[in-house]
Amino acid sequence: MVVKLLDQKGELDSVYGRIAVGIFLVQDLVVVVALTFLAGLGRGEEMATAEVLTNLGIAFGGMALLLVVAGVAAKWVLPAALGRVASSQETLLIVSLAWCFAFVLGAEVMELSLEIGAFLAGLALAQLPYNHDLRRRVHPLMNFFIAVFFVSLGAQMEFGAIGEIWFPAILLSLFVLLGNPFIFMLIIARMGYGERTSFLTSVTVAQISEFSFIFAAMGLATGLIGEEILSLVGVVGLITIATSAFMILYNHPLYERVSALGILRIFRAREGPSPMSEEVRREGHVVVVGMNSLGRSIVRGLHEQGEEVLAVDTDPSKLRGLPSATLLGNVEYRAVLEEADLASARLLVSALHIEEANRLLAYRCREMGVPCSINVFDPGSVGDLMRLGVDHLIEAQRIGVDRIVEELSERGVFAP
Amino acid sequence: MTAFALLLAAAAIGYAAAHLLRVPAIPLLLILGMAASALVALPEGFLEDVLMLGVMVVVFVAGIELNPDRVGRYLGTALRVGVLQFFVLGAAGLWAAHLLGFSLQTAAYLGLALSASSTLVVIRLLQQRRELYTPMGRMVTGILLLQDLLVILLIPVVTLLDEGALAVGIGVGSTLALMLLAAGLLRWVTPRVLPRVADDEERLLLLVLAVLFVFLGIAHLLNVPLIGGAFLAGVALSPFPVNALVRGQLNSLGGFFSALFFTTLGAILTIPTPGEVVQAAILLGLVIVLTPPLVALVAERNGFSARGGVGAGLILSQTSEFSLVVGIQGMLLGQISDSAFSVIVLVTVASMMLTPILATTPVTGLLIRLHPWSGTRREEEPPEGHILVVGCGASGLALLETLVGTPHEIWVIDDDPAVVEQIDEAGFRVIRGDATDRSVLREAGAPHARMVVSTVRFPKDSGPLLELANGVPVLVRAFDESDAAWIEERGGVAVSYSEAASDELLRWFREEFDAPGGETESSSR
């Protein structure tokens, strides 16, 4: 949820955004350990200490085994295996999902939490060179299943007992909304970051995670907690996620107001800019999409003219050996165009032979006010592209015929 | 979880193998689905749920690609071809099924199952071959849309026939109401409202899925088959830019559910009896034998080239995913037997598997050679000192217009009867034949020409020409560097279209962006 909000605000790559994402990753790792611990405790039946220790040992052993398999696969198996199918987007997606479910199945066999299996499978895939592209492909599935997950979770919650839990719910929510930022502000300021960065990071982490619900659901399943605690977690989740969303959306005005009160001075954050610089964005470059022979020829030509060029394709093998910067991704995803910094580009050139993608690119360029030159594979789509305000059409068929006529002319075919 | 992981693993193996062996994925998914179910007993209820959910999403995603605007000026041809194919195949299927001993009602189900082509298979193939926007692709899109709408409309007729005319009328009326809702959304709402929230792909995806579930809800309330609701929801969302904006998001979902659908379909298949295999083979033969000539005949009469018409006929030679739904409906209502359903599944699966094998350039070429056109002009002596143009597609026709200005006689070789007729009418000397056939090349005087220009679809098809016309300058169209190198090695002159297009773009770029101020000022066109 937070990553999504930061992305919407265009601040995911800001210093505070990157620190916050780092914190979430560490928290996820802690959650994996905690879930393993819960799995080790078994089904809540009374057990002797030795039995508990044995179960914990088996659980952590299982987790370690999965971790080793994931690590070995990420280093030696997956790059070669998936590299062979990486040029087929559909195959890459399905094989990755099968990989995920194989780990989920492994976790089930070892009586671990299924989420651990999924997390470790994802961890292995994240080490691949094309993990960005894969992440964008899995994203729609994630959105679909997150919606299903929350609806199912909401359907299981009983709010009949809200009268009994309202006080702890408010108290715990206040702790998360105020206590969490307080603790993080203290730590981050001590690490040498500026007051603004420390404050913005702290506000960003002021909510409980989606994993909290999984945690609570597992606790209920193992009999360690009752249904009222699950409801309590649900209410605290609703309050903190909803409130923190507004805190993140309006984080800069919030900082100005709190800073004006002078209470942030107690954290003694250092003055001036933070030790990490903001990411440098491309500007005035030419984005060339589709590395077929036309695209590659255009990239080389523009590069020789001294232009800063970014070559984009879905097939990693087509991006090899180019003199320019490259980006692996499908331009049908808006995120790819954002990663290519299209909004600040000088020109977009599409050498694609895919009419639908070309029309979408023309539409996006018009939206962003970026000039574009689009390859016309089929003359039937000229009208559609012109209506979308394309600046230049690459008509390879017409130009090719002109080249043949030039060749014929040079050979005196038209001479009497 | 085990069943789910197993199906997904089967799909992953199927896709990877299909990719590495360069074969269609669908047959492999079906075979691996069968293997998975033989390996582990998969729960029947789970398989049915996955199958239904899978087919809903898959049909919904396919519907999004069927934008009526894309058909454009080929709407009339699509209507004529689509209606003829639908009713001729439907009637032939009904008649053949009745002859095979099925009752009239079962025969009606089988006829309906045979009448439409598969949107899922055809759109996928057209996308893979980048032919969706060609005249043939546009006509085929129109045919598919029309046939799918006809099947949805006729499902209530066959399923409610037992309950009398009133029930049939209500069923058809309800389906028409849902179609009108989809048409209204498509015309007035979707292209105007949805792009406003398009800045956020996630919100758009959720909104699009909400439209799907609303349509499913209405279909359920109106007692219309849910798959019809899913398809119409897709069509309602098909206008540009909505379809384009959401395609990236839906591709992942579609790919995931399509993989599950085909492996699950494989998992529920049972080994058919010899009798069912024979019945299915006869019906499959009907589809494969009747569709190409029917489509090619009407398409050609409406101005399509023989290659376009035959290509469209071959790509449409299969039954639809709707056939499976028709079969499931009939079985659930107890109106058809398990055996009849088996026959429907067999025909659908086999025809879907055969399409990527049949709808290929060699088969199209073979059928074109059988074309009953006899207008080829034969000369006693092969010509000399002439200009020979080999292959005359879109590129070749434009070239001929320019060559009119030369003092030399122009000769053309092409294998497409409709194109040959067109060139003949324009007054050029034309020989109908295969550009790789040495006797045709000799007949056209290739070894004694002043110059030869080859614009054949595959540059390597110019091999025999380059050998035969040794000493004659031969210009060959090339698309990439490897083609160009291959042509030059054999003594030809490669004309690289991509290099020419790239040069032209760089020239435009220098003019537009190196001008004072460095800003684009106006369109170059």
Side-chain angles (χ1 to χ4, degrees):
Chain A
M1 188 278 291
V2 178
V3 172
K4 171 77 194 141
L5 278 175
L6 290 176
D7 199 19
Q8 265 178 0
K9 276 172 69 83
E11 294 180 0
L12 195 59
D13 285 326
S14 64
V15 175
Y16 87 86
R18 281 189 275 169
I19 299 173
V21 171
I23 292 170
F24 294 137
L25 281 177
V26 173
Q27 287 179 340
D28 285 348
L29 286 171
V30 174
V31 166
V32 167
V33 175
L35 283 173
T36 312
F37 191 79
L38 265 182
L41 287 181
R43 304 222 137 257
E45 292 148 6
E46 284 200 14
M47 287 185 288
T49 315
E51 222 173 330
V52 170
L53 287 175
T54 313
N55 282 349
L56 282 176
I58 292 170
F60 278 97
M63 200 264 274
L65 182 66
L66 283 181
L67 191 64
V68 169
V69 173
V72 169
K75 180 95 177 135
W76 289 289
V77 183
L78 287 177
L82 289 186
R84 298 190 71 179
V85 295
S87 56
S88 164
Q89 304 172 25
E90 206 168 31
T91 309
L92 187 63
L93 176 75
I94 299 298
V95 172
S96 305
L97 290 173
W99 168 257
C100 167
F101 277 91
F103 265 68
V104 168
L105 208 58
E108 194 184 33
V109 170
M110 292 177 199
E111 295 185 359
L112 291 169
S113 154
L114 304 185
E115 292 78 14
I116 294 176
F119 183 81
L120 293 177
L123 210 62
L125 292 174
Q127 313 311 314
L128 298 175
Y130 26 79
N131 79 86
H132 284 282
D133 189 38
L134 192 57
R135 206 173 57 200
R136 282 189 290 265
R137 285 180 206 293
V138 176
H139 211 69
L141 278 171
M142 192 181 82
N143 286 333
F144 177 74
F145 286 112
I146 277 184
V148 174
F149 170 71
F150 278 110
V151 170
S152 332
L153 197 75
Q156 282 177 34
M157 281 181 184
E158 286 180 21
F159 290 106
I162 194 108
E164 294 161 29
I165 58 166
W166 70 269
F167 182 69
I170 289 174
L171 202 67
L172 288 172
S173 299
L174 283 175
F175 175 75
V176 174
L177 290 167
L178 301 176
N180 233 9
F182 182 85
I183 296 165
F184 276 103
M185 185 80 203
L186 266 178
I187 299 168
I188 297 167
R190 289 283 174 282
M191 294 173 81
Y193 288 94
E195 186 181 272
R196 176 182 281 268
T197 302
S198 307
F199 180 83
L200 295 178
T201 313
S202 308
V203 164
T204 308
V205 295
Q207 71 291 114
I208 65 167
S209 151
E210 294 89 348
F211 263 123
S212 312
F213 301 117
I214 295 168
F215 238 158
M218 264 194 89
L220 185 72
T222 52
L224 293 170
I225 61 167
E227 278 189 6
E228 71 288 355
I229 303 293
L230 180 69
S231 300
L232 182 62
V233 173
V235 174
V236 173
L238 281 179
I239 294 173
T240 57
I241 288 173
T243 313
S244 79
F246 286 99
M247 285 162 70
I248 294 167
L249 282 175
Y250 301 102
N251 54 4
H252 293 286
L254 189 65
Y255 168 71
E256 302 302 338
R257 296 227 171 154
V258 177
S259 181
L261 294 174
I263 50 173
L264 295 179
R265 278 185 221 127
I266 58 165
F267 297 103
R268 291 189 206 153
R270 97 188 159 80
E271 300 290 324
S274 293
M276 281 162 75
S277 59
E278 301 285 332
E279 191 174 310
V280 180
R281 290 189 168 267
R282 292 184 196 90
E283 213 173 325
H285 56 299
V286 181
V287 179
V288 184
V289 182
M291 288 306 108
N292 47 33
S293 57
L294 174 62
R296 292 172 75 88
S297 180
I298 291 169
V299 168
R300 289 200 188 99
L302 287 169
H303 180 74
E304 281 165 18
Q305 285 184 23
E307 293 298 325
E308 188 193 344
V309 185
L310 177 69
V312 186
D313 202 282
T314 52
D315 186 346
S317 65
K318 289 185 179 168
L319 291 170
R320 284 184 211 122
L322 287 169
S324 66
T326 59
L327 173 65
L328 180 71
N330 183 342
V331 287
E332 285 178 339
Y333 295 91
R334 193 186 168 91
V336 172
L337 298 179
E338 282 166 3
E339 213 170 310
D341 295 319
L342 180 64
S344 55
R346 198 174 184 193
L347 174 73
L348 176 135
V349 181
S350 172
L352 290 174
H353 288 171
I354 309 166
E355 304 292 348
E356 308 99 88
N358 280 342
R359 284 183 84 194
L360 178 63
L361 283 172
Y363 178 83
R364 293 280 196 211
C365 283
R366 189 178 66 177
E367 264 189 335
M368 295 181 183
V370 176
C372 63
S373 172
I374 305 287
N375 182 23
V376 188
F377 187 61
D378 175 48
S381 56
V382 168
D384 290 338
L385 289 169
M386 293 305 286
R387 276 191 289 281
L388 287 165
V390 170
D391 298 86
H392 177 254
L393 296 175
I394 307 172
E395 293 172 281
Q397 293 282 3
R398 180 183 60 77
I399 299 162
V401 169
D402 289 349
R403 180 63 61 93
I404 290 179
V405 173
E406 272 172 38
E407 290 277 351
L408 291 173
S409 205
E410 278 172 22
R411 286 168 166 78
V413 166
F414 292 96
Chain B
M1 189 58 72
T2 311
F4 198 77
L6 194 66
L7 286 176
L8 215 50
I13 295 167
Y15 269 114
H19 176 70
L20 296 174
L21 302 172
R22 295 173 188 274
V23 293
I26 294 175
L28 290 179
L29 294 179
L30 292 166
I31 292 165
L32 286 160
M34 283 177 93
S37 91
L39 205 68
V40 177
L42 299 168
E44 208 169 290
F46 166 80
L47 289 180
E48 276 171 19
D49 288 347
V50 173
L51 198 66
M52 285 316 286
L53 190 64
V55 77
M56 295 290 168
V57 178
V58 165
V59 164
F60 171 66
V61 175
I64 283 187
E65 294 300 337
L66 290 184
N67 180 10
D69 287 345
R70 195 178 284 168
V71 185
R73 64 192 177 92
Y74 302 101
L75 185 66
T77 312
L79 278 174
R80 284 186 278 276
V81 177
V83 169
L84 187 78
Q85 186 200 340
F86 187 89
F87 287 105
V88 170
L89 272 167
L94 191 149
W95 170 75
H98 200 48
L99 279 185
L100 286 168
F102 289 106
S103 72
L104 204 58
Q105 190 176 38
T106 306
Y109 268 98
L110 283 162
L112 186 58
L114 254 60
S115 57
S117 302
S118 165
T119 302
L120 196 64
V121 171
V122 177
I123 291 288
R124 201 184 175 83
L125 268 178
L126 288 174
Q127 277 174 335
Q128 278 171 0
R129 297 175 183 186
R130 287 148 195 189
E131 289 179 343
L132 206 54
Y133 281 82
T134 59
M136 188 270 272
R138 288 175 192 268
M139 174 186 71
V140 166
T141 304
I143 293 171
L144 292 169
L145 179 62
L146 174 80
Q147 292 183 343
D148 287 345
L149 292 176
L150 284 172
V151 175
I152 293 172
L153 206 58
L154 286 178
I155 286 177
V157 177
V158 290
T159 53
L160 300 171
L161 208 56
D162 284 353
E163 296 175 32
L166 184 65
V168 169
I170 292 170
V172 172
S174 303
T175 311
L176 274 174
L178 202 60
M179 283 181 185
L180 283 176
L181 175 66
L185 286 175
L186 179 140
R187 181 80 181 81
W188 293 293
V189 183
T190 311
R192 293 176 196 182
V193 177
L194 293 190
R196 291 188 186 169
V197 291
D199 58 322
D200 182 342
E201 286 178 338
E202 284 183 24
R203 207 179 302 159
L204 186 64
L205 176 68
L206 291 178
L207 200 64
V208 159
L209 289 174
V211 172
L212 166 66
F213 286 108
V214 167
F215 263 80
L216 290 179
I218 298 173
H220 178 70
L221 286 176
L222 295 176
N223 208 18
V224 170
L226 291 184
I227 194 164
F231 176 75
L232 290 173
V235 175
L237 293 165
S238 67
F240 183 83
V242 179
N243 60 353
L245 291 169
V246 84
R247 186 177 290 118
Q249 301 283 304
L250 281 184
N251 272 349
S252 299
L253 271 180
F256 174 70
F257 283 105
S258 155
L260 278 181
F261 170 68
F262 283 110
T263 38
T264 311
L265 188 61
I268 63 160
L269 288 180
T270 50
I271 297 169
T273 62
E276 287 164 4
V277 173
V278 172
Q279 286 167 336
I282 292 168
L283 296 177
L284 176 69
L286 265 186
V287 173
I288 287 170
V289 171
L290 281 181
T291 311
L294 263 180
V295 174
L297 184 76
V298 186
E300 222 180 298
R301 284 188 173 220
N302 283 274
F304 272 80
S305 67
R307 187 173 293 281
V310 171
L314 285 171
I315 210 169
L316 288 167
S317 297
Q318 77 292 115
T319 53
S320 163
E321 48 286 346
F322 279 101
S323 311
L324 298 172
V325 179
V326 168
I328 292 170
Q329 287 278 326
M331 210 168 61
L332 289 177
L333 294 170
Q335 292 176 338
I336 63 168
S337 62
D338 285 358
S339 172
F341 178 65
S342 253
V343 171
I344 291 176
V345 174
L346 266 178
V347 175
T348 305
V349 170
S351 62
M352 282 182 173
M353 282 164 73
L354 281 174
T355 301
I357 300 163
L358 289 177
T360 52
T361 310
V363 179
T364 309
L366 184 76
L367 290 188
I368 286 174
R369 279 199 279 279
L370 299 174
H371 198 282
W373 191 85
S374 54
T376 310
R377 185 180 298 169
R378 301 240 170 210
E379 293 289 320
E380 290 295 320
E381 285 295 318
E384 283 183 16
H386 58 299
I387 309 276
L388 175 62
V389 177
V390 181
C392 207
S395 196
L397 283 169
L399 179 65
L400 284 184
E401 286 169 18
T402 320
L403 286 176
V404 171
T406 71
H408 307 281
E409 196 178 21
I410 313 293
W411 279 74
V412 182
I413 299 176
D414 202 282
D415 65 346
D416 191 310
V419 172
V420 166
E421 197 173 354
Q422 201 182 344
I423 297 167
D424 192 39
E425 280 169 10
F428 293 98
R429 314 295 294 269
V430 57
I431 292 175
R432 187 186 150 211
D434 193 332
T436 58
D437 186 336
R438 284 162 198 273
S439 64
V440 172
L441 291 168
R442 277 198 200 92
E443 192 187 337
H448 309 290
R450 162 84 171 79
M451 180 81 72
V452 182
V453 180
S454 170
T455 63
V456 289
R457 191 182 168 107
F458 302 107
K460 287 182 183 170
D461 281 353
S462 299
L465 170 69
L466 288 165
E467 267 179 45
L468 205 67
N470 194 14
V472 177
V474 181
L475 305 185
V476 184
R477 172 173 71 169
F479 290 106
D480 58 40
E481 294 131 10
S482 66
D483 283 339
W486 187 88
I487 293 160
E488 304 275 352
E489 269 171 31
R490 280 155 186 79
V493 180
V495 180
S496 168
Y497 274 34
S498 53
E499 200 182 291
S502 166
D503 289 349
E504 200 266 346
L505 173 91
L506 294 172
R507 201 164 37 243
W508 171 80
F509 182 80
R510 278 194 298 272
E511 281 168 15
E512 291 287 309
F513 289 88
D514 291 347
E519 295 292 324
T520 33
E521 283 159 11
S522 63
S523 164
S524 67
R525 287 180 59 87

